[in-house]
Amino acid sequence: MKEKNVRNFTLTAMFLAIMIILAVTPLGFIPIGPINATTMHIPVIIASIVLGPRIGAGLGAVFGVISLARATVIITPMSFVFSPFIANPLTNQGDWRAVIVAIIPRILIGVVPYFVYKGLHRLMKEKVRPVSLFIAGVAGSLTNTILVMNLIFFFFKDSYANVLQVTADAVYGVILGIIFGSGLVEAIVAGIATMGVSAVLLRLMKK
């Protein structure tokens, strides 16, 4: 038990270090139009599968806090949807609901992949583990993209339309474009990374 705790602590620290490195370099948040594509969800997904949903959720919460802090410090036209400290352009006030957008989906990134992987692995067994890991990685990434973009629509539809200079009726079309555009690219990258790294870590942990 002690050896397992030391191993889990070491891996958690490693994932946390990777997230911090991604956060302070351009690799973590890549600007694409009005939003940032991210790679910071990948360590959270892998941690969820390898270390379980509790540690995964904790690292996801760290990702959310980093996202909130970054939106507060590096101000962009969309910062108000991730930080309650940045004024909404329509109300000229910060909105506490930005905390929900920034943190809740990121916590779920650390939960969903674990259960997707366990369910698929139980069905498909060891022979097709790479497929289970790939799908779990994709599921974790899409959890982030779909929830974040839909929460933005639910909470900040009019403000989002104002920033993009489109009508409110056109906002969800833009959101779908992001989900099926950069969101799918993020998901495929996350799936490949999860499949490669998690397979190695799971083998090492089994030994």
Side-chain angles (χ1 to χ4, degrees):
M1 179 63 72
K2 184 178 179 181
E3 184 179 333
K4 180 181 178 182
N5 289 339
V6 170
R7 180 194 65 197
N8 287 355
F9 178 81
T10 302
L11 284 174
T12 302
M14 180 189 74
F15 287 125
L16 185 57
I18 292 170
M19 291 172 64
I20 292 171
I21 291 170
L22 290 175
V24 299
T25 65
L27 298 174
F29 296 91
I30 304 165
I32 299 178
I35 52 95
N36 287 317
T38 184
T39 57
M40 283 194 61
H41 60 314
I42 295 175
V44 179
I45 293 169
I46 296 171
S48 171
I49 293 169
V50 174
L51 299 175
R54 186 177 300 176
I55 293 175
L59 289 173
V62 172
F63 173 20
V65 171
I66 289 173
S67 178
L68 189 156
R70 189 177 187 277
T72 304
V73 175
I74 303 174
I75 299 175
T76 70
M78 294 304 302
S79 287
F80 71 94
V81 303
F82 295 107
S83 173
F85 305 108
I86 303 299
N88 184 314
L90 292 186
T91 64
N92 288 320
Q93 294 180 334
D95 194 319
W96 65 269
R97 293 175 298 181
V99 176
I100 297 175
V101 178
I103 294 179
I104 299 302
R106 278 59 189 271
I107 291 174
L108 292 175
I109 297 173
V111 176
V112 171
Y114 173 83
F115 290 103
V116 170
Y117 169 68
K118 287 297 182 183
L120 291 173
H121 189 58
R122 194 172 290 118
L123 288 174
M124 299 192 287
K125 307 302 179 186
E126 191 77 22
K127 293 180 181 178
V128 286
R129 172 183 276 182
V131 176
S132 301
L133 291 171
F134 177 81
I135 294 173
V138 169
S141 182
L142 288 178
T143 296
N144 178 52
T145 305
I146 291 172
L147 282 179
V148 166
M149 296 311 301
N150 278 280
L151 286 172
I152 289 173
F153 177 78
F154 185 71
F155 292 140
F156 301 109
K157 175 183 175 183
D158 293 332
S159 302
Y160 194 66
N162 179 66
V163 170
L164 296 180
Q165 295 296 297
V166 299
T167 64
D169 293 338
V171 169
Y172 205 71
V174 174
I175 285 173
L176 287 177
I178 292 171
I179 291 172
F180 287 104
S182 62
L184 279 180
V185 174
E186 281 185 10
I188 292 169
V189 171
I192 293 170
T194 301
M195 180 174 61
V197 177
S198 297
V200 174
L201 290 176
L202 288 170
R203 260 199 314 272
L204 290 173
M205 291 176 72
K206 191 173 182 181
K207 291 180 180 178

